[in-house]
């Protein structure tokens, strides 16, 4: 009897498994379908696209659209592709992420380990920054950028993203450092380490998970930003998101879907790469710092 | 002249007073243990010696030099923390030498000092490991090494053994004691474990509610506690504190203690502090009896003590192997006696108890202060 019931248990276990996996596979297919369409379209020639079947694999694989998107596609009157804007985005994102993360870490350090009167208020106000919609800061920000002489510059956009991201990075690091043992700080004070030495030698080297979380969060947000880029940068200093929009909206000649798709994938690649490289730390870090995603 | 002098030290956070006029003096080479229940302010006092907490009033001086306004790292003291507080990102060797590096000691000397300490604590093979790769006892050892390498004037230990399992705790306790004897170092040690306090200390300060209840050698604290708190806190099993009445029987002062049999109270002759107790005649006092002063008649120490025997009902027996703790009812509470393991006491039966009345202590029934 026991053998047969065990058999049943096994069989129903397998049935469950089949069900779960089929649901998972179907969802994955639905989720990945747009990417698949983008990928195959970017590898087809325009004639082949006109034949109609979006889902069909390319009869003849061509990298021509990729090269064109990168180097010679026309955005308005300028026909140098999106490569310049890709570098623009990098020049904005990398410094903004680095500075924002470092400042956030520093804020978190001071707010948890060097408490001062009213530290909760300061933190509360910084948290407020997380809830302010992008649109609200547009006008004041452009005013400030004008005063600083940073309008329409890469450094201006870096500043915007650092300031806007500071609320989030501070939140991440504060929550992480809240759980960081005070005794370690006390031990290093007794060892003779100063304010900055403790930060650089004790705190930062032990912040791996939360640094990864912050970097991924900031990188995706800043790289994918369109509104600030469209508002505060124009022409040559625009980031890739803005360039992509300009490319797709260029109304001269035929719509080159394959070039558009290639450009779109290119624009999405860096964030994908960051997830692939550091993604497994992301979940771990979210748990470790008990940070809301 | 005293080496570490804690003079009239106060501490309050806003309106809450956590330490009230603490006065402690110890000499060079003393092992001071601050012992008390959690929340009594002992760790705060230690942090104030370290300079990690500010003093609200009074002064702490080391070797005649006031520590007011002196940064923790400039006080020439080292501290071992309860959680060990090892830097997780650094190897054991780095952990030990970090303090020296901060003091700008050249690398060659640093390495030499690390080797010396590693040898002393027998952990040369651990130097390249990270703290996460160490066991609890090994981490403890590294934390001690980090303190030792600096060769400070005073060592501070903040409940260093409380995270270890029972067996390891005893081993490390012995090791700390040996270290103290070998180095002749001055140590301030915080614990809530009265056995650690008794075994390690040359001087004990028993603290409760922000006040030093008693300060003295372990023997003084154990044999002559100044109040019921100290009496009850020190010793394991703890001292029996029971209700008693001072009375006079045939011109002799006695403690009258209620027993399970209401008609036959136990009368224990008073052999100690008689003069002070005369004024308590016919009043209630708290009588303090250490378990080891109540034995079976066969193991009673008749050469040194004064033995008074009585038959009492046994409630429970707890054999520990070496001894047997026998519980009876006296003065409305349970009283533990320490007998030989083969004394023959059985629960629910009557048994002969031997009281060493020369070691009985009396405390004021209201204030809990010792009557002497």
């Amino acid at each position: 009897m026991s053998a047969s019931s065990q058999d049943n248990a096994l069989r129903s276990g397998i049935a469950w498994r089949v069900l779960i996996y089929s649901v998972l596979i179907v969802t994955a297919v639905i989720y990945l379908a747009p990417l698949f369409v983008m990928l195959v379209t970017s590898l087809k020639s325009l004639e082949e696209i006109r034949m109609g079947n979006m889902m069909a694999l390319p009869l003849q694989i061509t990298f021509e659209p990729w090269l064109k998107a990168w180097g010679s596609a026309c955005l308005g009157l300028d026909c140098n592709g999106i490569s310049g804007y890709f570098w623009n985005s990098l020049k904005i994102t990398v410094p903004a992420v680095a500075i924002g993360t470092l400042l956030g870490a520093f804020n978190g350090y001071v707010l948890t380990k060097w408490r001062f009167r009213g530290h909760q208020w300061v933190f509360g106000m910084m948290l407020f920054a997380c809830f302010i919609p992008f649109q609200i800061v547009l006008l004041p920000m452009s005013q400030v950028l004008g005063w600083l002489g940073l309008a329409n510059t890469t450094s201006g956009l870096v500043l915007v993203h650092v300031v806007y991201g500071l609320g989030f990075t501070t939140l991440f690091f504060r929550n992480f450092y809240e759980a960081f043992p005070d005794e370690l700080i006390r031990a290093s004070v007794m060892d003779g380490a100063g304010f900055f030495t403790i930060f650089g030698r004790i705190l930062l080297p032990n912040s791996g998970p939360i640094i990864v979380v912050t970097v991924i969060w900031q990188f995706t947000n800043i790289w994918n930003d369109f509104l600030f880029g469209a508002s505060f940068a124009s022409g040559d200093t625009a980031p890739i998101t803005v360039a992509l929009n300009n490319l797709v909206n260029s109304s001269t000649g035929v719509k080159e879907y394959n070039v558009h798709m290639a450009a779109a994938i290119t624009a999405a690649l860096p964030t994908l790469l960051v997830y692939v490289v550091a993604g497994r730390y992301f979940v771990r870090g979210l748990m470790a710092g008990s940070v809301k995603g | 002249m005293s080496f570490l002098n804690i003079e009239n030290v106060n501490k309050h956070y806003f309106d809450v007073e956590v330490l009230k006029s603490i006065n402690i003096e110890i000499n060079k080479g003393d092992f001071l243990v601050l012992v008390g229940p959690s929340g009594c302010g002992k760790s705060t006092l230690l942090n104030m010696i370290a300079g990690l907490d500010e003093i609200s009033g009074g002064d702490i001086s080391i070797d005649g030099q006031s520590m007011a306004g002196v940064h923790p790292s400039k006080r020439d003291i080292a501290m071992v923390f309860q959680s060990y507080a090892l830097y997780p990102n650094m190897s054991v060797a780095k952990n030990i030498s970090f303090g020296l590096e901060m003091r700008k000691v050249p690398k060659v000397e640093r390495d030499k000092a690390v080797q010396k300490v590693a040898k002393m604590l027998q952990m040369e093979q651990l130097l390249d490991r990270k703290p996460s790769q160490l066991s609890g006892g090994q981490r403890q050892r590294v934390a001690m090494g980090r303190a030792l390498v600096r060769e400070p004037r005073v060592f501070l230990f903040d409940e260093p053994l409380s995270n270890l399992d029972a067996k390891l705790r005893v081993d490390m306790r012995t090791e700390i004691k040996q270290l103290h004897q070998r180095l002749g170092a001055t140590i301030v040690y915080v614990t809530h474990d009265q056995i650690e306090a008794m075994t390690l200390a040359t001087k004990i300060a028993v603290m409760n509610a922000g006040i030093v209840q008693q300060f003295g050698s372990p023997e003084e604290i154990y044999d002559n506690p100044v109040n019921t708190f100290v009496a009850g806190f020190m010793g394991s099993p703890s001292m029996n504190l029971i209700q008693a009445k001072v009375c006079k029987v045939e011109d002799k002062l006695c403690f009258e203690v209620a027993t399970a049999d209401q008609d036959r109270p136990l009368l224990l002759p008073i052999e100690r502090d008689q003069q002070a107790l005369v004024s308590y005649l016919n009043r209630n006092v708290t009588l303090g009896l250490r378990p080891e002063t109540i034995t079976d008649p066969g193991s009673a120490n008749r050469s040194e003590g004064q033995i008074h025997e009585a038959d009492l009902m046994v409630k429970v027996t707890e054999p520990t192997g070496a001894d047997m703790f026998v519980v009876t009812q006296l003065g409305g509470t349970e009283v533990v006696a320490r007998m030989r393991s083969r004394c023959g006491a059985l629960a629910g039966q009557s048994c002969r108890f031997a009281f060493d009345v020369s070691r009985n202590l009396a405390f004021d029934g209201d204030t809990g202060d010792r009557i002497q």
Side-chain angles (χ1 to χ4, degrees):
Chain A
M1 186 215 122
S2 72
S4 75
S5 75
Q6 207 173 10
D7 244 29
N8 276 339
L10 232 94
R11 223 171 289 144
S12 69
I14 290 171
W16 257 116
R17 228 147 241 241
V18 170
L19 185 71
I20 288 169
Y21 276 103
S22 357
V23 171
L24 284 177
I25 288 167
V26 170
T27 341
V29 166
I30 294 172
Y31 196 77
L32 286 175
L35 183 64
F36 173 76
V37 172
M38 282 173 76
L39 204 61
V40 291
T41 308
S42 74
L43 295 173
K44 289 175 186 170
S45 62
L46 263 180
E47 290 79 46
E48 216 184 308
I49 292 170
R50 286 201 199 93
M51 281 157 58
N53 192 348
M54 267 199 325
M55 304 296 281
L57 288 171
L59 299 169
Q60 184 123 45
I61 290 179
T62 167
F63 293 101
E64 203 55 41
W66 285 81
L67 294 174
K68 191 171 178 194
W70 184 252
S72 63
C74 291
L75 296 83
L77 297 173
D78 165 33
C79 290
N80 290 319
I82 56 166
S83 58
Y85 304 99
F86 187 89
W87 297 125
N88 277 351
S89 268
L90 266 191
K91 275 187 254 169
I92 294 162
T93 309
V94 171
V97 169
I99 297 171
T101 306
L102 207 65
L103 280 179
F106 198 74
N107 285 345
Y109 170 54
V110 174
L111 284 171
T112 52
K113 304 301 172 200
W114 298 88
R115 293 238 155 108
F116 48 90
R117 230 160 216 269
H119 66 90
Q120 308 98 317
W121 289 100
V122 174
F123 179 57
M125 264 142 63
M126 299 202 74
L127 260 191
F128 213 62
C130 302
F131 304 114
I132 297 177
F134 277 41
Q135 290 79 355
I136 288 181
V137 298
L138 282 182
L139 277 178
M141 190 59 94
S142 68
Q143 184 78 61
V144 170
L145 288 179
W147 282 333
L148 294 173
L150 290 175
N152 274 339
T153 62
T154 308
S155 346
L157 265 184
V158 170
L159 179 73
V160 172
H161 284 299
V162 167
V163 170
Y164 195 81
L166 212 51
F168 291 97
T169 56
T170 303
L171 169 70
F172 290 167
F173 278 98
R174 197 207 80 113
N175 287 358
F176 186 78
Y177 289 155
E178 185 76 28
F180 193 86
D182 283 342
E183 281 203 340
L184 276 176
I185 309 295
R186 291 171 164 241
S188 46
V189 167
M190 298 215 53
D191 268 343
F195 183 79
F196 289 103
T197 315
I198 295 175
F199 182 58
R201 296 276 306 266
I202 311 291
L203 231 42
L204 271 190
N206 290 308
S207 310
I210 204 66
I211 290 178
V212 171
V213 170
T214 315
V215 165
I216 291 183
W217 175 266
Q218 284 292 88
F219 192 94
T220 346
N221 274 346
I222 298 174
W223 186 273
N224 289 340
D225 161 69
F226 178 77
L227 187 65
F228 287 155
S231 312
F232 302 133
S234 58
D236 289 347
T237 57
I240 193 158
T241 42
V242 176
L244 189 62
N245 176 63
N246 293 346
L247 172 73
V248 176
N249 286 340
S250 289
S251 50
T252 48
V254 286
K255 287 257 180 219
E256 295 176 300
Y257 291 111
N258 50 0
V259 176
H260 297 171
M261 294 305 173
I265 295 173
T266 312
L269 270 183
T271 44
L272 271 180
L273 194 72
V274 168
Y275 265 109
V276 169
V277 171
R280 68 200 168 97
Y281 295 101
F282 189 63
V283 180
R284 223 186 287 168
L286 281 180
M287 310 304 256
S290 52
V291 171
K292 285 184 272 174
Chain B
M1 168 142 191
S2 59
F3 188 67
L4 172 67
N5 196 355
I6 301 170
E7 226 183 311
N8 245 331
V9 162
N10 287 299
K11 175 75 185 174
H12 45 80
Y13 293 106
F14 305 107
D15 290 340
V16 187
E17 206 166 33
V18 279
L19 289 175
K20 291 163 211 159
S21 55
I22 306 286
N23 283 294
I24 294 172
E25 274 183 40
I26 58 167
N27 296 321
K28 199 172 182 139
D30 261 339
F31 196 128
L32 168 68
V33 173
L34 305 174
V35 66
S38 45
C40 71
K42 55 193 191 300
S43 287
T44 309
L45 183 58
L46 193 76
N47 281 331
M48 291 191 331
I49 298 172
L52 295 169
D53 267 345
E54 272 178 44
I55 302 178
S56 310
D59 191 30
I60 293 174
S61 60
I62 298 174
D63 208 1
Q65 178 195 354
S66 168
M67 287 295 119
V70 180
H71 189 267
S73 62
K74 301 268 171 11
R75 295 186 176 202
D76 200 8
I77 46 185
M79 188 154 168
V80 177
F81 292 88
Q82 183 173 8
S83 68
Y84 317 134
L86 302 179
Y87 309 127
N89 55 314
M90 299 184 197
S91 67
V92 168
K94 269 270 175 201
N95 260 288
I96 295 175
S97 65
F98 186 70
L100 298 177
E101 191 190 331
M102 290 298 115
R103 284 176 173 70
K104 309 215 163 47
V105 175
K107 177 114 176 55
V108 188
E109 279 177 48
R110 255 160 34 206
D111 291 346
K112 222 185 269 172
V114 169
Q115 283 300 333
K116 194 176 136 199
V117 167
K119 203 169 166 202
M120 180 160 39
L121 295 171
Q122 294 158 3
M123 53 177 197
E124 288 126 307
Q125 73 288 357
L126 303 178
L127 285 176
D128 294 327
R129 299 219 194 140
K130 288 276 172 66
S132 57
Q133 297 166 304
L134 302 177
S135 69
Q138 289 169 332
R139 284 179 203 181
Q140 174 66 59
R141 218 164 276 226
V142 176
M144 272 164 49
R146 194 166 63 177
L148 284 172
V149 77
R150 299 231 320 260
E151 298 179 0
R153 289 189 294 185
V154 181
F155 287 93
L156 307 178
F157 287 82
D158 188 4
E159 309 216 15
L161 304 183
S162 58
N163 287 343
L164 300 177
D165 62 65
K167 171 145 175 37
L168 205 52
R169 196 178 306 171
V170 175
D171 293 347
M172 289 306 290
R173 200 169 73 199
T174 315
E175 206 158 317
I176 290 176
K177 181 139 196 178
Q178 280 173 351
L179 212 61
H180 173 244
Q181 284 165 354
R182 196 153 29 135
L183 299 173
T186 311
I187 296 177
V188 183
Y189 187 107
V190 161
T191 181
H192 60 266
D193 181 350
Q194 47 85 24
I195 296 180
E196 266 174 41
M198 288 298 294
T199 49
L200 289 172
T202 61
K203 284 278 161 52
I204 295 180
V206 183
M207 297 180 66
N208 189 34
I211 296 172
V212 174
Q213 304 284 335
Q214 189 172 3
F215 173 63
S217 70
E219 296 74 30
E220 281 165 16
I221 302 268
Y222 192 79
D223 294 335
N224 281 310
V226 296
N227 56 31
T228 47
F229 176 80
V230 177
F233 193 78
M234 303 301 288
S236 170
S238 56
M239 183 187 272
N240 300 299
L241 294 167
I242 54 182
Q243 281 263 339
K245 202 169 124 188
V246 181
C247 63
K248 217 166 206 176
V249 178
E250 293 163 4
D251 256 14
K252 206 163 163 32
L253 275 180
C254 283
F255 291 116
E256 185 189 311
V257 183
T259 62
D261 185 352
Q262 297 217 333
D263 302 328
R264 281 182 38 220
L266 173 69
L267 289 173
L268 293 173
I270 297 177
E271 300 291 348
R272 189 175 176 178
D273 309 318
Q274 279 173 344
Q275 279 167 356
L277 280 163
V278 168
S279 60
Y280 279 84
L281 190 61
N282 292 326
R283 279 169 66 189
N284 279 331
V285 295
T286 303
L287 178 61
L289 309 171
R290 290 239 178 249
E292 66 267 25
T293 67
I294 313 171
T295 56
D296 53 298
S299 58
N301 185 351
R302 287 167 206 281
S303 55
E304 280 177 35
Q306 281 163 294
I307 307 302
H308 180 90
E309 295 184 18
D311 286 313
L312 294 166
M313 195 60 97
V314 175
K315 277 182 87 174
V316 185
T317 59
E318 294 173 341
T320 63
D323 302 303
M324 174 144 72
F325 293 117
V326 180
V327 181
T328 182
Q329 179 105 11
L330 275 180
T333 50
E334 289 182 348
V335 166
V336 180
R338 183 176 200 158
M339 303 196 175
R340 285 174 304 172
S341 54
R342 281 174 204 82
C343 68
L346 283 173
Q349 290 186 12
S350 181
C351 170
R352 196 146 185 87
F353 286 70
F355 294 85
D356 182 353
V357 292
S358 67
R359 291 180 64 187
N360 290 353
L361 304 172
F363 302 92
D364 189 294
D366 300 324
T367 62
D369 287 336
R370 174 81 185 282
I371 302 166
Q372 58 180 347

